[in-house]
Amino acid sequence: DSYEMDTEDYRHLHKFLDRLPEHYRELLRLRYWSALSFREIAEYLDIKESTAKVWHHRAIKKLQAEAKYLASN
């Protein structure tokens, strides 16, 4: 299944991303916009692959919490 973002969704995503710490934003950019693997991201950021995975998990959880908060208000 694919999902096309409309303008409003795109605006919300950017607002959420701006609230994340810079290292989470960079990781998400590398993962989703540059389509790098966790191994490649770890090499690029000079971190362990496990750290890249943890940061990714935390970033996604923060984005989900922001989206849930927005949906409830």
Side-chain angles (χ1 to χ4, degrees):
D1 292 341
S2 67
Y3 174 77
E4 262 188 62
M5 292 179 70
D6 64 19
T7 304
E8 189 69 15
D9 290 339
Y10 193 73
R11 222 176 292 132
H12 285 302
L13 176 60
H14 273 278
K15 184 167 52 169
F16 296 156
L17 287 171
D18 286 344
R19 293 180 183 169
L20 291 175
E22 177 59 32
H23 63 285
Y24 288 171
R25 287 195 308 265
E26 181 66 13
L27 183 137
L28 292 175
R29 281 188 210 109
L30 294 170
R31 180 74 175 156
Y32 296 105
W33 280 270
S34 298
L36 297 182
S37 69
F38 286 115
R39 182 185 52 75
E40 293 168 322
I41 292 168
E43 289 175 10
Y44 182 82
L45 296 177
D46 195 27
I47 59 175
K48 294 180 181 181
E49 185 175 349
S50 60
T51 301
K53 290 177 180 180
V54 168
W55 286 3
H56 177 265
H57 177 77
R58 290 178 182 168
I60 295 299
K61 286 292 183 191
K62 285 181 179 286
L63 288 175
Q64 288 172 337
E66 288 285 339
K68 189 174 186 178
Y69 175 77
L70 180 68
S72 69
N73 289 326

